Amino acid sequence: MSAAYLCPVCRANRQAFDLVYKLAQEIRKDPETGKTVYRSDELELMRREDGRPDIDVKCRQCGYAGAEQSFVRAARRDQRSALPAF
Ligand SMILES: [Zn+2]
C-alpha cells in the first residue's frame, strides 16, 4: 500500500509507524463452565474482504492505534486543506 499516512490524533507524524497484524485462533468453550475445550494449533492472519491483511496502524509518536483507513483519510484531508482555497 503506497498511500500516505498521517496520525489522526497527534497530526504530527507522517513517518514512523508500526503495522499491527491481527491473528485469529479458533477456540471452543463449554457454555456452562466457560472452560476452553478446544484450542486450534494454528493462528490465522485476519484478512479483509479484498484479501489484504486486516491491519491496524500505530503511531510511534503518540501511541495511538487505529484502522489503517483513518491514517490514510487523515493524510488525504490534510493534503486537501493545504491546497489554496478558491
Ligand atoms: Zn500520533
Side-chain angles (χ1 to χ4, degrees), residues 54-76:
D54 182 12
I55 53 172
D56 278 355
V57 175
K58 185 177 174 200
C59 171
R60 291 187 66 97
Q61 234 166 72
C62 71
Y64 169 77
E68 182 188 32
Q69 261 325 99
S70 64
F71 285 79
V72 174
R73 255 186 259 124
R76 282 204 197 116

PDB file of all heavy atoms in Angstrom, residues 54-76:
ATOM      1  N   ASP A  54      -5.810  -7.573   7.379  1.00  0.00           N
ATOM      2  CA  ASP A  54      -6.601  -6.599   8.130  1.00  0.00           C
ATOM      3  C   ASP A  54      -5.700  -5.981   9.191  1.00  0.00           C
ATOM      4  O   ASP A  54      -5.594  -6.489  10.301  1.00  0.00           O
ATOM      5  CB  ASP A  54      -7.791  -7.320   8.773  1.00  0.00           C
ATOM      6  CG  ASP A  54      -8.689  -6.355   9.526  1.00  0.00           C
ATOM      7  OD1 ASP A  54      -8.525  -5.131   9.373  1.00  0.00           O
ATOM      8  OD2 ASP A  54      -9.552  -6.832  10.278  1.00  0.00           O
ATOM      9  N   ILE A  55      -5.037  -4.890   8.834  1.00  0.00           N
ATOM     10  CA  ILE A  55      -4.041  -4.339   9.748  1.00  0.00           C
ATOM     11  C   ILE A  55      -4.526  -3.048  10.397  1.00  0.00           C
ATOM     12  O   ILE A  55      -5.342  -2.313   9.837  1.00  0.00           O
ATOM     13  CB  ILE A  55      -2.693  -4.052   9.049  1.00  0.00           C
ATOM     14  CG1 ILE A  55      -2.885  -3.184   7.806  1.00  0.00           C
ATOM     15  CG2 ILE A  55      -1.994  -5.339   8.711  1.00  0.00           C
ATOM     16  CD1 ILE A  55      -1.579  -2.719   7.202  1.00  0.00           C
ATOM     17  N   ASP A  56      -4.016  -2.810  11.599  1.00  0.00           N
ATOM     18  CA  ASP A  56      -4.140  -1.513  12.235  1.00  0.00           C
ATOM     19  C   ASP A  56      -2.791  -0.820  12.088  1.00  0.00           C
ATOM     20  O   ASP A  56      -1.780  -1.459  11.829  1.00  0.00           O
ATOM     21  CB  ASP A  56      -4.464  -1.659  13.724  1.00  0.00           C
ATOM     22  CG  ASP A  56      -5.947  -1.898  13.964  1.00  0.00           C
ATOM     23  OD1 ASP A  56      -6.727  -1.862  12.997  1.00  0.00           O
ATOM     24  OD2 ASP A  56      -6.314  -2.121  15.130  1.00  0.00           O
ATOM     25  N   VAL A  57      -2.794   0.462  12.292  1.00  0.00           N
ATOM     26  CA  VAL A  57      -1.555   1.223  12.255  1.00  0.00           C
ATOM     27  C   VAL A  57      -1.393   1.886  13.606  1.00  0.00           C
ATOM     28  O   VAL A  57      -2.367   2.362  14.205  1.00  0.00           O
ATOM     29  CB  VAL A  57      -1.596   2.288  11.131  1.00  0.00           C
ATOM     30  CG1 VAL A  57      -0.352   3.163  11.167  1.00  0.00           C
ATOM     31  CG2 VAL A  57      -1.709   1.615   9.776  1.00  0.00           C
ATOM     32  N   LYS A  58      -0.164   1.864  14.100  1.00  0.00           N
ATOM     33  CA  LYS A  58       0.114   2.508  15.374  1.00  0.00           C
ATOM     34  C   LYS A  58       1.118   3.624  15.155  1.00  0.00           C
ATOM     35  O   LYS A  58       2.157   3.425  14.523  1.00  0.00           O
ATOM     36  CB  LYS A  58       0.662   1.482  16.367  1.00  0.00           C
ATOM     37  CG  LYS A  58       0.854   2.048  17.745  1.00  0.00           C
ATOM     38  CD  LYS A  58       1.319   0.994  18.724  1.00  0.00           C
ATOM     39  CE  LYS A  58       1.627   1.652  20.058  1.00  0.00           C
ATOM     40  NZ  LYS A  58       2.493   0.819  20.888  1.00  0.00           N
ATOM     41  N   CYS A  59       0.794   4.779  15.697  1.00  0.00           N
ATOM     42  CA  CYS A  59       1.684   5.942  15.616  1.00  0.00           C
ATOM     43  C   CYS A  59       2.805   5.767  16.638  1.00  0.00           C
ATOM     44  O   CYS A  59       2.545   5.543  17.815  1.00  0.00           O
ATOM     45  CB  CYS A  59       0.888   7.213  15.924  1.00  0.00           C
ATOM     46  SG  CYS A  59       1.917   8.685  16.097  1.00  0.00           S
ATOM     47  N   ARG A  60       4.043   5.880  16.160  1.00  0.00           N
ATOM     48  CA  ARG A  60       5.166   5.699  17.088  1.00  0.00           C
ATOM     49  C   ARG A  60       5.479   6.979  17.849  1.00  0.00           C
ATOM     50  O   ARG A  60       6.351   6.997  18.708  1.00  0.00           O
ATOM     51  CB  ARG A  60       6.406   5.201  16.343  1.00  0.00           C
ATOM     52  CG  ARG A  60       6.246   3.769  15.836  1.00  0.00           C
ATOM     53  CD  ARG A  60       7.534   3.251  15.249  1.00  0.00           C
ATOM     54  NE  ARG A  60       8.563   3.113  16.244  1.00  0.00           N
ATOM     55  CZ  ARG A  60       8.861   1.982  16.862  1.00  0.00           C
ATOM     56  NH1 ARG A  60       8.205   0.891  16.581  1.00  0.00           N
ATOM     57  NH2 ARG A  60       9.817   1.949  17.753  1.00  0.00           N
ATOM     58  N   GLN A  61       4.730   8.038  17.543  1.00  0.00           N
ATOM     59  CA  GLN A  61       4.977   9.275  18.272  1.00  0.00           C
ATOM     60  C   GLN A  61       4.043   9.410  19.486  1.00  0.00           C
ATOM     61  O   GLN A  61       4.483   9.690  20.576  1.00  0.00           O
ATOM     62  CB  GLN A  61       4.812  10.473  17.353  1.00  0.00           C
ATOM     63  CG  GLN A  61       6.038  11.359  17.361  1.00  0.00           C
ATOM     64  CD  GLN A  61       6.025  12.351  16.215  1.00  0.00           C
ATOM     65  OE1 GLN A  61       5.266  13.303  16.201  1.00  0.00           O
ATOM     66  NE2 GLN A  61       6.870  12.110  15.233  1.00  0.00           N
ATOM     67  N   CYS A  62       2.732   9.190  19.276  1.00  0.00           N
ATOM     68  CA  CYS A  62       1.805   9.370  20.402  1.00  0.00           C
ATOM     69  C   CYS A  62       1.228   8.046  20.890  1.00  0.00           C
ATOM     70  O   CYS A  62       0.562   8.005  21.917  1.00  0.00           O
ATOM     71  CB  CYS A  62       0.665  10.316  20.008  1.00  0.00           C
ATOM     72  SG  CYS A  62      -0.521   9.614  18.842  1.00  0.00           S
ATOM     73  N   GLY A  63       1.446   6.958  20.158  1.00  0.00           N
ATOM     74  CA  GLY A  63       0.990   5.656  20.622  1.00  0.00           C
ATOM     75  C   GLY A  63      -0.412   5.293  20.192  1.00  0.00           C
ATOM     76  O   GLY A  63      -0.882   4.195  20.469  1.00  0.00           O
ATOM     77  N   TYR A  64      -1.101   6.194  19.484  1.00  0.00           N
ATOM     78  CA  TYR A  64      -2.454   5.889  19.044  1.00  0.00           C
ATOM     79  C   TYR A  64      -2.431   4.765  18.018  1.00  0.00           C
ATOM     80  O   TYR A  64      -1.606   4.754  17.107  1.00  0.00           O
ATOM     81  CB  TYR A  64      -3.102   7.136  18.431  1.00  0.00           C
ATOM     82  CG  TYR A  64      -4.394   6.832  17.719  1.00  0.00           C
ATOM     83  CD1 TYR A  64      -5.554   6.623  18.448  1.00  0.00           C
ATOM     84  CD2 TYR A  64      -4.434   6.741  16.329  1.00  0.00           C
ATOM     85  CE1 TYR A  64      -6.747   6.318  17.787  1.00  0.00           C
ATOM     86  CE2 TYR A  64      -5.614   6.439  15.670  1.00  0.00           C
ATOM     87  CZ  TYR A  64      -6.765   6.226  16.402  1.00  0.00           C
ATOM     88  OH  TYR A  64      -7.926   5.923  15.762  1.00  0.00           O
ATOM     89  N   ALA A  65      -3.355   3.809  18.173  1.00  0.00           N
ATOM     90  CA  ALA A  65      -3.500   2.737  17.191  1.00  0.00           C
ATOM     91  C   ALA A  65      -4.930   2.706  16.701  1.00  0.00           C
ATOM     92  O   ALA A  65      -5.872   2.828  17.491  1.00  0.00           O
ATOM     93  CB  ALA A  65      -3.121   1.387  17.803  1.00  0.00           C
ATOM     94  N   GLY A  66      -5.110   2.586  15.399  1.00  0.00           N
ATOM     95  CA  GLY A  66      -6.452   2.535  14.840  1.00  0.00           C
ATOM     96  C   GLY A  66      -6.411   1.955  13.443  1.00  0.00           C
ATOM     97  O   GLY A  66      -5.356   1.565  12.955  1.00  0.00           O
ATOM     98  N   ALA A  67      -7.581   1.906  12.800  1.00  0.00           N
ATOM     99  CA  ALA A  67      -7.687   1.328  11.473  1.00  0.00           C
ATOM    100  C   ALA A  67      -6.792   2.074  10.488  1.00  0.00           C
ATOM    101  O   ALA A  67      -6.653   3.301  10.572  1.00  0.00           O
ATOM    102  CB  ALA A  67      -9.135   1.373  10.994  1.00  0.00           C
ATOM    103  N   GLU A  68      -6.193   1.316   9.584  1.00  0.00           N
ATOM    104  CA  GLU A  68      -5.309   1.910   8.585  1.00  0.00           C
ATOM    105  C   GLU A  68      -6.019   3.039   7.835  1.00  0.00           C
ATOM    106  O   GLU A  68      -5.421   4.080   7.552  1.00  0.00           O
ATOM    107  CB  GLU A  68      -4.861   0.819   7.606  1.00  0.00           C
ATOM    108  CG  GLU A  68      -3.897   1.326   6.555  1.00  0.00           C
ATOM    109  CD  GLU A  68      -3.606   0.291   5.484  1.00  0.00           C
ATOM    110  OE1 GLU A  68      -4.483  -0.526   5.166  1.00  0.00           O
ATOM    111  OE2 GLU A  68      -2.488   0.320   4.952  1.00  0.00           O
ATOM    112  N   GLN A  69      -7.304   2.822   7.541  1.00  0.00           N
ATOM    113  CA  GLN A  69      -8.057   3.826   6.786  1.00  0.00           C
ATOM    114  C   GLN A  69      -8.070   5.190   7.467  1.00  0.00           C
ATOM    115  O   GLN A  69      -8.074   6.215   6.799  1.00  0.00           O
ATOM    116  CB  GLN A  69      -9.510   3.354   6.582  1.00  0.00           C
ATOM    117  CG  GLN A  69      -9.803   2.744   5.232  1.00  0.00           C
ATOM    118  CD  GLN A  69      -9.054   3.370   4.085  1.00  0.00           C
ATOM    119  OE1 GLN A  69      -8.032   2.870   3.628  1.00  0.00           O
ATOM    120  NE2 GLN A  69      -9.544   4.492   3.599  1.00  0.00           N
ATOM    121  N   SER A  70      -8.116   5.221   8.787  1.00  0.00           N
ATOM    122  CA  SER A  70      -8.182   6.511   9.475  1.00  0.00           C
ATOM    123  C   SER A  70      -6.882   7.292   9.288  1.00  0.00           C
ATOM    124  O   SER A  70      -6.893   8.522   9.241  1.00  0.00           O
ATOM    125  CB  SER A  70      -8.514   6.322  10.962  1.00  0.00           C
ATOM    126  OG  SER A  70      -7.490   5.612  11.602  1.00  0.00           O
ATOM    127  N   PHE A  71      -5.767   6.583   9.141  1.00  0.00           N
ATOM    128  CA  PHE A  71      -4.487   7.252   8.881  1.00  0.00           C
ATOM    129  C   PHE A  71      -4.417   7.751   7.440  1.00  0.00           C
ATOM    130  O   PHE A  71      -3.896   8.825   7.166  1.00  0.00           O
ATOM    131  CB  PHE A  71      -3.323   6.292   9.160  1.00  0.00           C
ATOM    132  CG  PHE A  71      -3.052   6.082  10.626  1.00  0.00           C
ATOM    133  CD1 PHE A  71      -3.840   5.230  11.382  1.00  0.00           C
ATOM    134  CD2 PHE A  71      -1.999   6.730  11.246  1.00  0.00           C
ATOM    135  CE1 PHE A  71      -3.595   5.033  12.734  1.00  0.00           C
ATOM    136  CE2 PHE A  71      -1.739   6.540  12.598  1.00  0.00           C
ATOM    137  CZ  PHE A  71      -2.543   5.694  13.338  1.00  0.00           C
ATOM    138  N   VAL A  72      -4.959   6.939   6.522  1.00  0.00           N
ATOM    139  CA  VAL A  72      -4.958   7.333   5.106  1.00  0.00           C
ATOM    140  C   VAL A  72      -5.872   8.540   4.913  1.00  0.00           C
ATOM    141  O   VAL A  72      -5.524   9.504   4.230  1.00  0.00           O
ATOM    142  CB  VAL A  72      -5.422   6.144   4.220  1.00  0.00           C
ATOM    143  CG1 VAL A  72      -5.579   6.576   2.768  1.00  0.00           C
ATOM    144  CG2 VAL A  72      -4.433   4.989   4.325  1.00  0.00           C
ATOM    145  N   ARG A  73      -7.048   8.493   5.555  1.00  0.00           N
ATOM    146  CA  ARG A  73      -8.004   9.597   5.423  1.00  0.00           C
ATOM    147  C   ARG A  73      -7.438  10.890   6.003  1.00  0.00           C
ATOM    148  O   ARG A  73      -7.617  11.961   5.437  1.00  0.00           O
ATOM    149  CB  ARG A  73      -9.329   9.241   6.110  1.00  0.00           C
ATOM    150  CG  ARG A  73     -10.414   8.893   5.098  1.00  0.00           C
ATOM    151  CD  ARG A  73     -11.739   8.687   5.780  1.00  0.00           C
ATOM    152  NE  ARG A  73     -12.034   7.276   5.937  1.00  0.00           N
ATOM    153  CZ  ARG A  73     -12.297   6.664   7.080  1.00  0.00           C
ATOM    154  NH1 ARG A  73     -12.334   7.349   8.201  1.00  0.00           N
ATOM    155  NH2 ARG A  73     -12.538   5.388   7.107  1.00  0.00           N
ATOM    156  N   ALA A  74      -6.768  10.784   7.135  1.00  0.00           N
ATOM    157  CA  ALA A  74      -6.189  11.976   7.760  1.00  0.00           C
ATOM    158  C   ALA A  74      -5.157  12.608   6.829  1.00  0.00           C
ATOM    159  O   ALA A  74      -5.095  13.833   6.694  1.00  0.00           O
ATOM    160  CB  ALA A  74      -5.549  11.613   9.096  1.00  0.00           C
ATOM    161  N   ALA A  75      -4.365  11.766   6.147  1.00  0.00           N
ATOM    162  CA  ALA A  75      -3.353  12.288   5.222  1.00  0.00           C
ATOM    163  C   ALA A  75      -4.026  12.973   4.037  1.00  0.00           C
ATOM    164  O   ALA A  75      -3.588  14.036   3.591  1.00  0.00           O
ATOM    165  CB  ALA A  75      -2.442  11.160   4.748  1.00  0.00           C
ATOM    166  N   ARG A  76      -5.111  12.373   3.532  1.00  0.00           N
ATOM    167  CA  ARG A  76      -5.809  12.958   2.383  1.00  0.00           C
ATOM    168  C   ARG A  76      -6.465  14.271   2.757  1.00  0.00           C
ATOM    169  O   ARG A  76      -6.381  15.255   2.026  1.00  0.00           O
ATOM    170  CB  ARG A  76      -6.891  11.997   1.870  1.00  0.00           C
ATOM    171  CG  ARG A  76      -6.307  10.890   1.059  1.00  0.00           C
ATOM    172  CD  ARG A  76      -7.338  10.321   0.093  1.00  0.00           C
ATOM    173  NE  ARG A  76      -6.863   9.024  -0.370  1.00  0.00           N
ATOM    174  CZ  ARG A  76      -7.489   7.886  -0.119  1.00  0.00           C
ATOM    175  NH1 ARG A  76      -8.633   7.871   0.521  1.00  0.00           N
ATOM    176  NH2 ARG A  76      -6.983   6.752  -0.545  1.00  0.00           N
TER     177      ARG A  76
END
